[in-house]
Amino acid sequence: MWEVFKFECRYQLKSPLFIVLAVVFFLFAFMIIAAESVQLGGIGRNLNINAAWSIVYTQFFFSLIGMLAAIAIVSQAITRDYELKTAELLFATGIGARQFLLGRFFGAGLFGIGVGVAAILGTLAGSVMPWLDAEKVGPFTLAPFLYAFAVVTAPNLFFSAALFFSVAALFRSMIAAFTAAVGFLVLYIVVGNLVDPEDITVFAVLDPFGQTAFAEVSRYWTVYERNNELVPVTGNLLANRLLCVGLAMAMLGFTAWRFRFNLNPSPFRRRARKSAKVQLTPAMSPKPEVTRVFRTATYWRQLLSQMRMDIGGIVKSIPFYAVLGFAALNVWGGFLGASQAFGTPLLPITSALLQAIANSYVFFILLIIIYYAGELVHRERQTGVAEVVDGTPFPSVVMVASKIGTLWFIVTCLLLFAMAAAVLMQIIEGYTNFEFGLYFQSLFFVQGGFFYLLCVLAVFVQVLAGNKWLGMLAMLVIFIVFQTLFSIDFQHGLYNFGTPPAPHSDMNDYGHYWMPLAAFTAYWAFFCVLLTIAAHLFFTRGNVFGFAERADVARSRVTRSVAAISALATLAFVATGAWIFVNTNVVNEYRTTDDVEAQRAEYERTYKRYEMATLPEVLDVDSEVDLFPDERRLESRGRMRLVNESDEVISSLLVSTHPFIAVNALDLDGATLGEQDLDNGVHMFAFPEGLAPGSEAHLQWDLTWDHDGFANPNERAVLGPSSDRVVANGTFVNNTEIMPIIGYNGALELSDPNTRREQELPPVQRLPKLGDPFWLYRSQLGLARRTNFRTTFSTTPDQTAVAPGYLVGDVEERDGRRYFTYEMDEPIWPFFAFVSARYEVARDSHNGVAIEVYYDAKHPYNIEPMIRSTKKSLDYFNAAFSPYQYRQFRILEFPRYQTFAQSFPNTIPYSEGIGFVADLRDEDALDLVFYVTAHELAHQWWGHQVAGAQMQGMTVIVETLAQYSALMVMEEEYGPDKMRRFLRYELDRYLQQRGGEIIEELPLMLAENQQYIHYQKGSLVMYALKDVIGEDNVNLALRNFLGKWAYGTGPFPTTQDLVDEIRAVAAPQYQDFITDLWEKITVYDLRVGDVEVTPVEDEWEVRFIASATQYDVDGQGRESEVLLDTWVDFAVFPEEPEALEDYQLPEPLYFEKKRVATGDTEIVVRVKDKPRRVGVDPYNKLIDRNPEDNLKFVTVET
Amino acid sequence: MLEIANLNKTYDNGVQALKDVSLTIPKGMFGLLGPNGAGKSTLMRTLATLQTPDSGGVSLDGINVLDDVDQLRRALGYLPQEFGVYPRTSPLSFLEHVAVMKGVVNGGERKSLVEHLLVQTNLWEVRKKNMTTFSGGMKQRIGIAQALIGDPSLIIVDEPTAGLDPVERRRFHNLLADIGEEVVVILSTHIVEDVSDLCSRMAVMAGGSILDEGEPHELIAALEGKLWRLLVANGDVESLRTQIPVLTSKRVSGKTEVKVHADTAPEGFEAAAPTLEDVYFATLRAAGFSVDVD
Ligand SMILES: Nc1ncnc2c1ncn2[C@@H]1O[C@H](COP(=O)(O)OP(=O)(O)OP(=O)(O)O)[C@@H](O)[C@H]1O
Ligand SMILES: [Mg+2]
């Protein structure tokens, strides 16, 4: 064995494969850490560059793609004798089969692991590069690297090596190993997607790569912990690592036991079917005469025959069917895994399934194309058929065409199969509106177009590489390069091979995405014609030695027709390219991420000094908005009445317009227009006489938002959603986009600390400090006054146009257009939405409030819960807080380019991507639609009736209180059980997302527009508060708060005012608890210790210990223990009667809220039914980083 | 008629596999005899357009092969020394495929041609079986069948009988003999009988050069009266070798028959009737190649 081992090592050292792989892994790992542009799914942007957690996590990624190394190096080690046909020689040498096998394995395995080590070294080298941002580099220690090797790289690669080596040895086939790998990967991803946070413990042990176990421990880690600590190798992680190594050894053992030296087909392969019935050889006939023809038709016939051979080789192999099977799994997994928030599933509409296919398929198809391209291009040489066919009189192009054609066939099969899987899913789900047209469009053009082009590239690369493995590697490198190009600001579609993304919306179909898609597809298709020609020129036929000879051959293949086609294709390529260039760079402006960031930085640098300038207030807005959806054009004209409400003279005024919108005219009476910076949309007005306190001025505008031609595909990524706002069906814009804004726009400031450092901006101040006297007088919108509002909004006759306010008079039809005039009868915040689409309308009313839902004809499903939620919410909020201020409430569906709902006065644009397509058929599931509707309606109070001062805690007043309001309506409608489940999801998201904090976590009261705080933690805090001081008290506090602040004109309320109201209604003993919830970052650790259950008479006595600890946490996540003294739930639960939903618990047998202190508490109770679980804070009302150990199963001794 | 003029080929590793090879091969069977590594396959692959020579020219009935590769390929039937088949494919579909590649596009004609060849090569019964499981000889017969597709006027067969059992070998010889008269057939082999049985002309090749060329009987005649034999005890061969230039030594019923090529009979030797094998050995020896087997 030692001999074989040594031989293998020598072989590997000499083989370019190991060296190439090691170099690639090294460089890739190096770049991930050392080049900021190369990112691994954006992990840890908030952490130190050399955070211990990131180093280890990165190695998980490399041990996963290290499967490639395992296959290429280790599986090859056992199959290469079959492939090179040297097996006979070898078997004759007299080494034992087992020794041979193990020698090979350990020799090659060492090098497989070596590739992983190269990645670790790459990370290490990258982490000490001098150009790294010193602020983001922690002190260097070797420990994470050693840890990564011992805990991640070595066991994982050992496992992959053993698995794929075994498969290859037993099946004597590389494709079997490759199939196993793809299958494994897909399964891994699918299962990974399906795992609920609740089941994480099970998968933590079973996930062979240990990533889940690692995640289980570290998922709620804070920045500090991620920077400095390593996950201890105990518990599940230890069990998992042992299992991983153990499983690997078991596989090796099995293989060693079954492996034999022989050349028979593997015993694991399909037995040859019984031979066809024997036919007698017919008598020898005279040799038939045949005619041979060589003309174009013959070449097509040859192509067909060659493709039949190529396709036959694939469809007759079992792995191909395995691949198809995985494909189906992938689609289903992708769809089922793509549930919406709070575990609500999606309706199986075609659009959703197509999305699932897009999300889960791309990677898979990529691998398949790369693999089969390698197999196909080298098939004739590898099998030796080349010797026979290369000398036959077919034109060389036939061979290349056949390879591409065969790949296309495979891709088509995969796509058809995905479609079949999707349709099957729809049938199973009882959905029968099959949109085959949409399926075909999407699969074979929008998504699939790229795959077909990719096939050509893959064949070209394989032909040029001349070696299967080299070719595959080259393809991977190409992908990495393209990925990297984008992130280093080379973002033009003209050199990024691929077709632009085109999101589908049921409302707007592919809309404005068609044009760029068609243009770029054509452009790259012409390029692929050139690639095909190049592949044809360089395709090896017979023996060719060296590059010079290849070049000679290529030159000799340049016939007149080749030259002509190349010239035509080049012409077409260049012409399409030029046309694209005109569209993206002349008609539109091509900008990279960096350009846009630089622009925003410049805006901040130049204009921040106006941030605190005295502003006039907007008191009247009157506008005409004309939308031309088919041309994607919107014209906005109007007047604003500005009044100087301050006691200072205003001498100059900064007016902003959206950078995308063209300014036809902008006029402020009494002022002269000075400097105009159109790049930043800034217009400086000066009042020569000054605008005296109490006097007014009128701002008139005439703006056009037009989309000419099409922009570069990076537009959406760099410019954000504004590029999808004015569309053919489902336009949704707001006043900040289509009207001038008064004053400096702080929202444009860059917030990411890294980006700011790059742009040499000072550290961000997300919001002014709580209590800052200046900002007390500016509301969340930057202004202090509400305004009157009136608009005439016109659109095409097939669409309905809606804006805040009430419709005045009838819809006017003239000049082939429809004019809607809306007017609000009381002042509103200057925050207006303009929405227009082809709508169905559902109408209802409730106690004088008209309820209208404007929806797309395709999405009638969830209108009922929206209306029901509206009614229930109106009832609750009216009773608990204050009366609803409008006579009408409207929900308007808009395209899924963005997925949120947003509350404007009496008007709520609601994305088709949430709610409208949620599947609410399962009664036990959480009702996402009900919740979102209630939340948005609550904003009519929290945001519109009362607006917070623009400072820390501002969004808490808006969002946290809306969360609380929605929670209370839901609790009333669905009962506390569902609420707890809802909160469990909130807890999970809070704990996870605080680990992704980029600056610092703040207590709820000081939150700086941090979503995980004002939504998730907000829900938890409000519920815990309500649980302790009572719903009536909380509502009383909110009522008082509203009473004091609603419709105010400044100063505006802060979270301090809110907390004061809460404190005022809470008994003295709860004041500390309120401090913990609102003013500190508090984390509890509650857990059940020993449990004892003894039957007493016909009852059970349950005795258990619960321990409780409390921590104060700082902004980086450092915890320090403090004394705990609070109210905690204790409960005993019975057997579960039926299958429960995630996080659902049965009615408790015993439940009690007790005030406890730090340390252990013993509970002794008698219950009537047999107990199954006991719990301390079982419903996770308190924030606990280990929510699972709050419950414990008991075993009853009988 | 195939004319080969001054072909040279040196591989990347420095081996000169063809050294100024010139041959004129008329219609009929032409045998190419030579030791391993002589350059036979290199020559044949060059003729079969599978690789290009460094210099020299080849023309078939006036077609310049190196310039008009396609013309030659249309005329060619080539059985490589080593080749493979598509896995999980039957002889029937493989031959159909090769037939299409050779321009037999008429489906009916192709079918009867392929069936005819399957019968001729005795593969009819296994025509639908997976070729991956075939024995070496069966595979070789598929190679033969495909080479015969399309009425080739130049047939190149590289060690065609390797791996064939005696029956199949005979069958193949007959097959070749049937067509061998009207077309150019080049056959490389190490088996001298193949040449003597079949070929009207032959050449001996070694070290990349053609050492001798002619009709087999002429070459044999040239050795007439210059070949001598003696039966000696096995142990005496070594000492004999030191005294006289032994051409061949061969065990014959417990003793060793030693042959010597010389103008006059050495002491104790008797005249021997030369065979083609002797010609082969003598030619190699004369060109300085070692032919010692002990
Ligand atoms: N692709 C190649 N690269 C380098 N050298 C080669 C190549 N093919 C053949 N050779 C060398 O060229 C010489 C002639 O080889 P060739 O295969 O033509 O001999 P042959 O007469 O057919 O031998 P055999 O009887 O064993 O088939 C040998 O020395 C061989 O090693
Ligand atoms: Mg040879």
Side-chain angles (χ1 to χ4, degrees):
Chain A
M1 186 175 130
W2 182 238
E3 283 307 310
V4 183
F5 175 79
K6 275 197 299 196
F7 176 86
E8 183 62 30
C9 289
R10 247 175 282 129
Y11 175 89
Q12 293 291 353
L13 266 181
K14 271 188 263 158
S15 102
L17 192 65
F18 168 70
I19 297 169
V20 171
L21 275 173
V23 168
V24 168
F25 272 58
F26 178 90
L27 286 180
F28 194 10
F30 179 83
M31 290 200 313
I32 282 181
I33 192 156
E36 223 192 314
S37 45
V38 186
Q39 291 275 326
L40 199 66
I43 57 155
R45 272 199 43 100
N46 55 333
L47 305 180
N48 280 343
I49 290 172
N50 63 347
W53 184 87
S54 304
I55 291 169
V56 177
Y57 192 83
T58 309
Q59 305 315 320
F60 275 113
F61 169 74
F62 279 103
S63 60
L64 204 66
I65 64 166
M67 286 202 288
L68 177 78
I71 294 178
I73 293 180
V74 189
S75 303
Q76 273 279 77
I78 193 72
T79 55
R80 70 167 174 264
D81 297 304
Y82 295 96
E83 267 179 28
L84 302 179
K85 314 218 166 59
T86 50
E88 285 103 326
L89 277 183
L90 203 100
F91 299 164
T93 54
I95 352 163
R98 202 150 304 158
Q99 287 178 330
F100 165 78
L101 184 91
L102 293 179
R104 279 278 166 97
F105 175 79
F106 286 110
L110 198 67
F111 284 82
I113 293 177
V115 172
V117 172
I120 297 182
L121 292 178
T123 308
L124 196 148
S127 73
V128 297
M129 286 300 111
W131 61 76
L132 298 179
D133 186 345
E135 285 194 40
K136 296 209 68 189
V137 182
F140 176 83
T141 54
L142 209 51
F145 299 99
L146 297 177
Y147 177 94
F149 174 76
V151 179
V152 182
T153 306
N156 284 358
L157 284 175
F158 180 63
F159 174 83
S160 300
L163 174 63
F164 300 120
F165 182 84
S166 299
V167 174
L170 295 176
F171 289 84
R172 288 187 207 128
S173 135
M174 280 303 285
I175 186 155
F178 196 83
T179 314
V182 171
F184 187 81
L185 209 66
V186 169
L187 213 69
Y188 193 77
I189 293 167
V190 169
V191 172
N193 272 338
L194 290 179
V195 175
D196 264 309
E198 204 183 41
D199 307 326
I200 196 168
T201 321
V202 183
F203 288 96
V205 181
L206 293 184
D207 166 6
F209 287 124
Q211 201 169 350
T212 316
F214 181 78
E216 186 200 16
V217 182
S218 66
R219 71 189 146 144
Y220 299 145
W221 271 18
T222 58
V223 173
Y224 176 80
E225 288 167 311
R226 282 171 205 250
N227 276 342
N228 300 302
E229 286 173 26
L230 293 165
V231 173
V233 190
T234 51
N236 280 344
L237 186 60
L238 180 66
N240 169 274
R241 300 291 69 194
L242 292 177
L243 188 77
C244 164
V245 174
L247 212 63
M249 303 229 262
M251 287 187 291
L252 262 189
F254 177 79
T255 310
W257 171 55
R258 292 300 310 239
F259 184 74
R260 300 279 180 278
F261 272 157
N262 58 38
L263 291 165
N264 299 337
S266 152
F268 288 91
R269 285 202 180 169
R270 187 174 47 154
R271 294 266 149 73
R273 246 177 277 125
K274 246 183 66 205
S275 57
K277 60 178 167 339
V278 181
Q279 273 182 14
L280 289 181
T281 306
M284 181 81 86
S285 53
K287 185 159 192 262
E289 284 299 310
V290 295
T291 43
R292 299 198 300 154
V293 230
F294 296 98
R295 48 162 196 252
T296 317
T298 311
Y299 308 144
W300 285 106
R301 189 65 197 74
Q302 288 172 335
L303 173 61
L304 201 74
S305 185
Q306 181 62 41
M307 275 183 68
R308 196 179 291 163
M309 286 292 129
D310 284 336
I311 290 172
I314 288 164
V315 298
K316 282 186 207 154
S317 67
I318 299 171
F320 180 66
Y321 296 95
V323 163
L324 288 181
F326 292 133
L329 265 184
N330 224 325
V331 174
W332 294 331
F335 174 74
L336 294 174
S339 68
Q340 300 207 309
F342 308 106
T344 310
L346 279 169
L347 279 171
I349 57 171
T350 308
S351 206
L353 279 152
L354 286 172
Q355 190 59 42
I357 294 174
N359 291 345
S360 57
Y361 228 52
V362 177
F363 180 59
F364 175 75
I365 286 201
L366 277 178
L367 285 181
I368 297 292
I369 291 175
I370 293 177
Y371 177 76
Y372 274 118
E375 280 296 305
L376 282 167
V377 168
H378 305 287
R379 188 155 180 249
E380 275 70 26
R381 339 220 84 231
Q382 209 172 336
T383 52
V385 175
E387 289 290 305
V388 172
V389 294
D390 278 1
T392 57
F394 67 91
S396 299
V397 72
V398 164
M399 206 46 105
V400 171
S402 166
K403 303 305 173 188
I404 294 173
T406 305
L407 278 179
W408 282 355
F409 171 85
I410 296 173
V411 168
T412 308
C413 283
L414 284 170
L415 292 174
L416 282 174
F417 210 74
M419 181 171 131
V423 169
L424 191 66
M425 184 84 198
Q426 292 183 322
I427 293 173
I428 293 170
E429 293 267 325
Y431 179 89
T432 50
N433 178 19
F434 306 115
E435 295 164 274
F436 287 109
L438 180 57
Y439 271 121
F440 278 102
Q441 267 177 30
S442 170
L443 291 179
F444 296 103
F445 185 60
V446 179
Q447 300 188 26
F450 173 60
F451 301 140
Y452 289 101
L453 297 176
L454 192 66
C455 293
V456 180
L457 178 68
V459 166
F460 169 77
V461 167
Q462 285 292 352
V463 166
L464 225 58
N467 168 295
K468 184 162 73 175
W469 296 108
L470 203 65
M472 292 189 192
L473 254 175
M475 280 304 283
L476 287 181
V477 170
I478 286 173
F479 274 111
I480 294 168
V481 168
F482 278 129
Q483 287 297 312
T484 314
L485 274 183
F486 196 91
S487 51
I488 55 172
D489 275 345
F490 287 92
Q491 302 177 330
H492 209 293
L494 283 176
Y495 47 71
N496 278 287
F497 185 84
T499 56
H504 181 263
S505 148
D506 276 344
M507 288 185 79
N508 196 36
D509 201 16
Y510 285 108
H512 51 286
Y513 283 98
W514 265 124
M515 203 51 169
L517 183 70
F520 279 100
T521 308
Y523 174 75
W524 288 114
F526 291 126
F527 181 71
C528 282
V529 173
L530 293 173
L531 283 185
T532 311
I533 291 171
H536 158 60
L537 296 183
F538 285 97
F539 196 86
T540 319
R541 192 163 175 180
N543 283 5
V544 182
F545 306 94
F547 196 79
E549 199 176 336
R550 286 190 87 177
D552 277 344
V553 173
R555 219 166 294 130
S556 75
R557 287 187 189 155
V558 182
T559 60
R560 201 172 297 163
S561 52
V562 165
I565 296 172
S566 310
L568 278 180
T570 310
L571 197 71
F573 176 65
V574 172
T576 337
W579 174 54
I580 289 174
F581 185 83
V582 166
N583 272 289
T584 57
N585 292 49
V586 181
V587 176
N588 288 283
E589 194 183 346
Y590 164 60
R591 287 191 285 184
T592 64
T593 310
D594 195 53
D595 294 339
V596 171
E597 286 168 358
Q599 175 109 56
R600 286 169 66 176
E602 184 198 293
Y603 177 81
E604 180 178 338
R605 262 192 295 268
T606 321
Y607 302 109
K608 188 161 175 91
R609 61 202 157 101
Y610 296 104
E611 186 175 33
M612 291 168 72
T614 310
L615 297 177
E617 293 294 333
V618 180
L619 293 188
D620 277 306
V621 175
D622 192 352
S623 65
E624 289 107 49
V625 175
D626 297 315
L627 174 70
F628 302 88
D630 300 327
E631 299 152 51
R632 296 190 67 208
R633 183 160 56 88
L634 181 143
E635 289 173 1
S636 159
R637 291 173 308 280
R639 291 147 300 285
M640 278 178 198
R641 187 167 66 95
L642 307 180
V643 181
N644 184 356
E645 300 250 312
S646 75
D647 42 19
E648 280 164 48
V649 176
I650 297 174
S651 57
S652 69
L653 179 62
L654 187 159
V655 174
S656 299
T657 49
H658 198 280
F660 295 174
I661 202 158
V663 180
N664 307 321
L666 194 63
D667 180 66
L668 182 59
D669 59 359
T672 50
L673 179 57
E675 223 179 294
Q676 232 178 343
D677 171 359
L678 291 180
D679 287 337
N680 286 305
V682 171
H683 317 266
M684 295 300 305
F685 284 97
F687 293 97
E689 263 108 72
L691 188 65
S695 46
E696 57 181 60
H698 290 87
L699 178 66
Q700 298 208 30
W701 70 89
D702 182 344
L703 309 171
T704 303
W705 190 345
D706 205 352
H707 290 274
D708 283 329
F710 55 86
N712 190 61
N714 75 336
E715 188 188 34
R716 193 155 195 254
V718 303
L719 295 182
S722 287
S723 57
D724 287 326
R725 297 284 237 177
V726 178
V727 298
N729 184 37
T731 294
F732 163 34
V733 294
N734 66 42
N735 58 306
T736 66
E737 290 163 317
I738 64 160
M739 290 181 186
I741 319 171
I742 306 303
Y744 173 78
N745 183 2
L748 285 178
E749 290 182 10
L750 295 165
S751 57
D752 185 280
N754 300 332
T755 320
R756 290 185 68 87
R757 253 199 305 281
E758 270 164 34
Q759 298 293 345
E760 294 168 358
L761 290 169
V764 72
Q765 195 195 357
R766 291 187 283 206
L767 278 174
K769 292 279 174 253
L770 181 63
D772 184 310
F774 175 84
W775 292 99
L776 279 177
Y777 289 87
R778 288 210 185 162
S779 77
Q780 61 203 20
L781 287 165
L783 297 164
R785 285 306 189 85
R786 291 169 164 85
T787 174
N788 293 313
F789 175 70
R790 180 188 169 94
T791 188
T792 301
F793 183 13
S794 79
T795 186
T796 46
D798 54 336
Q799 299 201 353
T800 308
V802 184
Y806 307 109
L807 188 63
V808 179
D810 289 330
V811 180
E812 237 183 289
E813 313 252 355
R814 62 183 144 91
D815 323 328
R817 293 179 58 77
R818 297 174 87 185
Y819 291 79
F820 298 77
T821 300
Y822 294 96
E823 185 171 6
M824 194 51 114
D825 54 6
E826 58 183 287
I828 54 175
W829 286 114
F831 186 44
F832 326 121
F834 295 83
V835 184
S836 167
R838 290 185 291 274
Y839 281 127
E840 304 285 316
V841 189
R843 292 174 211 274
D844 204 331
S845 76
H846 188 64
N847 298 337
V849 176
I851 303 169
E852 292 170 358
V853 181
Y854 294 71
Y855 63 97
D856 189 85
K858 282 185 178 171
H859 298 152
Y861 309 102
N862 297 330
I863 310 304
E864 187 276 332
M866 286 180 187
I867 292 177
R868 182 160 41 88
S869 173
T870 305
K871 292 180 179 173
K872 303 267 166 162
S873 303
L874 282 171
D875 287 346
Y876 188 98
F877 303 160
N878 278 328
F881 310 140
S882 65
Y884 180 54
Q885 65 270 45
Y886 305 116
R887 287 175 272 127
Q888 189 188 39
F889 180 73
R890 294 177 301 203
I891 290 173
L892 306 150
E893 185 174 6
F894 71 88
R896 69 161 70 225
Y897 303 126
Q898 300 158 86
T899 44
F900 60 77
Q902 198 172 18
S903 199
F904 293 83
N906 80 335
T907 306
I908 297 189
Y910 201 129
S911 168
E912 70 168 307
I914 55 168
F916 284 93
V917 293
D919 186 349
L920 303 178
R921 289 174 297 176
D922 180 358
E923 302 254 305
D924 290 330
L926 293 171
D927 188 340
L928 179 71
V929 178
F930 191 94
Y931 152 70
V932 173
T933 308
H935 175 100
E936 297 305 328
L937 180 54
H939 279 313
Q940 302 290 324
W941 281 259
W942 315 118
H944 290 293
Q945 291 197 7
V946 66
Q950 190 161 113
M951 58 183 56
Q952 291 178 322
M954 163 182 98
T955 50
V956 171
I957 292 175
V958 182
E959 298 299 349
T960 303
L961 295 184
Q963 284 294 84
Y964 167 75
S965 310
L967 275 171
M968 290 305 104
V969 187
M970 274 206 292
E971 188 159 63
E972 214 176 58
E973 175 79 358
Y974 290 112
D977 179 50
K978 278 202 177 167
M979 263 330 78
R980 291 167 194 145
R981 282 162 53 203
F982 183 89
L983 289 168
R984 188 63 174 72
Y985 280 105
E986 294 282 71
L987 175 62
D988 191 59
R989 267 167 77 184
Y990 165 65
L991 291 173
Q992 253 176 47
Q993 292 180 6
R994 68 197 283 261
E997 170 60 51
I998 52 176
I999 300 171
E1000 60 169 339
E1001 181 177 354
L1002 288 160
L1004 182 59
M1005 191 156 109
L1006 303 179
E1008 298 179 340
N1009 199 2
Q1010 290 151 296
Q1011 309 224 340
Y1012 68 97
I1013 301 180
H1014 63 228
Y1015 287 117
Q1016 274 75 39
K1017 185 176 174 183
S1019 299
L1020 295 162
V1021 162
M1022 288 304 290
Y1023 197 84
L1025 183 71
K1026 170 227 127 172
D1027 203 57
V1028 171
I1029 72 169
E1031 187 176 343
D1032 290 343
N1033 279 331
V1034 174
N1035 289 350
L1036 175 63
L1038 295 180
R1039 223 161 29 239
N1040 294 339
F1041 182 69
L1042 273 171
K1044 210 171 276 174
W1045 300 102
Y1047 307 109
T1049 56
F1052 293 95
T1054 66
T1055 33
Q1056 186 62 61
D1057 301 308
L1058 178 63
V1059 171
D1060 288 347
E1061 295 297 345
I1062 293 169
R1063 287 192 187 281
V1065 299
Q1069 74 262 34
Y1070 298 128
Q1071 298 297 332
D1072 285 348
F1073 184 56
I1074 293 174
T1075 309
D1076 290 344
L1077 291 178
W1078 284 86
E1079 298 178 21
K1080 292 179 177 175
I1081 305 170
T1082 302
V1083 162
Y1084 298 88
D1085 185 9
L1086 299 156
R1087 67 180 80 198
V1088 177
D1090 294 335
V1091 190
E1092 224 177 90
V1093 177
T1094 36
V1096 181
E1097 291 147 30
D1098 57 349
E1099 296 192 332
W1100 277 269
E1101 185 179 88
V1102 185
R1103 179 188 290 268
F1104 66 99
I1105 310 260
S1107 68
T1109 329
Q1110 181 174 339
Y1111 301 92
D1112 262 2
V1113 191
D1114 73 3
Q1116 301 308 313
R1118 264 179 298 259
E1119 298 179 349
S1120 44
E1121 195 182 330
V1122 292
L1123 280 184
L1124 174 144
D1125 173 18
T1126 193
W1127 291 262
V1128 178
D1129 296 342
F1130 294 87
V1132 175
F1133 295 96
E1135 294 281 354
E1136 279 111 57
E1138 70 236 33
L1140 295 176
E1141 295 284 315
D1142 292 343
Y1143 305 135
Q1144 197 178 357
L1145 286 169
E1147 273 300 302
L1149 299 168
Y1150 152 80
F1151 181 87
E1152 191 180 6
K1153 200 181 237 337
K1154 271 179 179 299
R1155 184 169 182 169
V1156 297
T1158 300
D1160 292 351
T1161 306
E1162 189 177 19
I1163 302 284
V1164 185
V1165 287
R1166 285 208 184 176
V1167 293
K1168 289 220 160 53
D1169 286 323
K1170 192 170 166 189
R1172 180 72 181 120
R1173 284 198 265 190
V1174 301
V1176 50
D1177 189 28
Y1179 301 118
N1180 298 116
K1181 292 171 184 165
L1182 298 174
I1183 291 168
D1184 183 336
R1185 290 173 59 196
N1186 242 321
E1188 276 84 19
D1189 65 6
N1190 290 19
L1191 282 166
K1192 194 166 188 176
F1193 283 102
V1194 301
T1195 42
V1196 180
E1197 289 136 51
T1198 40
Chain B
M1 188 156 68
L2 183 74
E3 277 169 281
I4 301 166
N6 313 96
L7 280 189
N8 281 293
K9 176 78 189 179
T10 307
Y11 284 112
D12 288 350
N13 56 4
V15 175
Q16 189 173 0
L18 296 179
K19 284 182 199 154
D20 210 27
V21 172
S22 297
L23 280 173
T24 300
I25 304 174
K27 280 187 182 151
M29 299 255 256
F30 185 91
L32 198 55
L33 210 53
N36 291 133
K40 303 183 296 294
S41 296
T42 303
L43 176 60
M44 303 186 102
R45 294 174 55 79
T46 308
L47 298 177
T49 73
L50 291 183
Q51 62 189 52
T52 48
D54 297 339
S55 64
V58 180
S59 70
L60 174 71
D61 299 331
I63 312 166
N64 183 339
V65 171
L66 301 177
D67 282 352
D68 199 346
V69 183
D70 264 340
Q71 279 305 319
L72 183 101
R73 283 181 180 156
R74 288 178 194 179
L76 178 70
Y78 172 53
L79 169 64
Q81 180 173 3
E82 273 174 358
F83 67 96
V85 292
Y86 288 118
R88 294 180 285 272
T89 311
S90 68
L92 191 65
S93 59
F94 184 64
L95 292 178
E96 286 256 357
H97 173 59
V98 177
V100 175
M101 295 313 251
K102 287 191 174 188
V104 185
V105 281
N106 180 307
E109 286 181 5
R110 189 168 65 240
K111 184 161 181 283
S112 46
L113 173 65
V114 167
E115 282 183 359
H116 171 79
L117 287 169
L118 285 169
V119 175
Q120 247 185 345
T121 50
N122 198 20
L123 289 168
W124 173 261
E125 278 169 27
V126 295
R127 71 193 183 286
K128 289 183 179 162
K129 284 243 176 92
N130 177 358
M131 290 188 289
T132 327
T133 62
F134 280 12
S135 72
M138 283 157 91
K139 217 147 93 186
Q140 190 69 2
R141 273 140 58 197
I142 292 162
I144 293 164
Q146 65 77 25
L148 298 178
I149 294 174
D151 297 322
S153 56
L154 170 63
I155 296 180
I156 299 175
V157 284
D158 198 349
E159 293 183 30
T161 52
L164 295 189
D165 65 36
V167 176
E168 293 300 336
R169 184 161 159 245
R170 173 62 23 87
R171 190 196 293 271
F172 175 65
H173 281 179
N174 294 346
L175 202 87
L176 271 192
D178 283 348
I179 36 176
E181 294 315 307
E182 307 111 57
V183 300
V184 179
V185 180
I186 310 175
L187 172 146
S188 87
T189 182
H190 315 279
I191 303 169
V192 180
E193 288 97 79
D194 280 355
V195 178
S196 51
D197 289 358
L198 288 168
C199 296
S200 47
R201 289 186 69 81
M202 65 169 286
V204 178
M205 191 178 185
S209 308
I210 303 293
L211 302 182
D212 205 352
E213 193 224 323
E215 295 181 13
H217 65 91
E218 279 175 13
L219 297 177
I220 293 171
L223 214 56
E224 207 86 55
K226 292 181 181 167
L227 198 67
W228 318 95
R229 69 185 280 269
L230 178 65
L231 275 176
V232 297
N234 291 346
D236 296 343
V237 180
E238 273 317 298
S239 60
L240 201 62
R241 250 183 227 287
T242 61
Q243 296 158 25
I244 42 172
V246 172
L247 183 62
T248 61
S249 58
K250 178 161 91 184
R251 305 286 144 103
V252 177
S253 50
K255 291 198 156 197
T256 303
E257 181 194 50
V258 178
K259 283 187 180 171
V260 173
H261 179 202
D263 286 342
T264 53
E267 179 73 44
F269 280 70
E270 57 180 9
T275 63
L276 202 55
E277 192 175 29
D278 297 324
V279 172
Y280 177 64
F281 278 86
T283 312
L284 287 184
R285 163 62 60 82
F289 290 93
S290 165
V291 292
D292 292 346
V293 289
D294 284 314

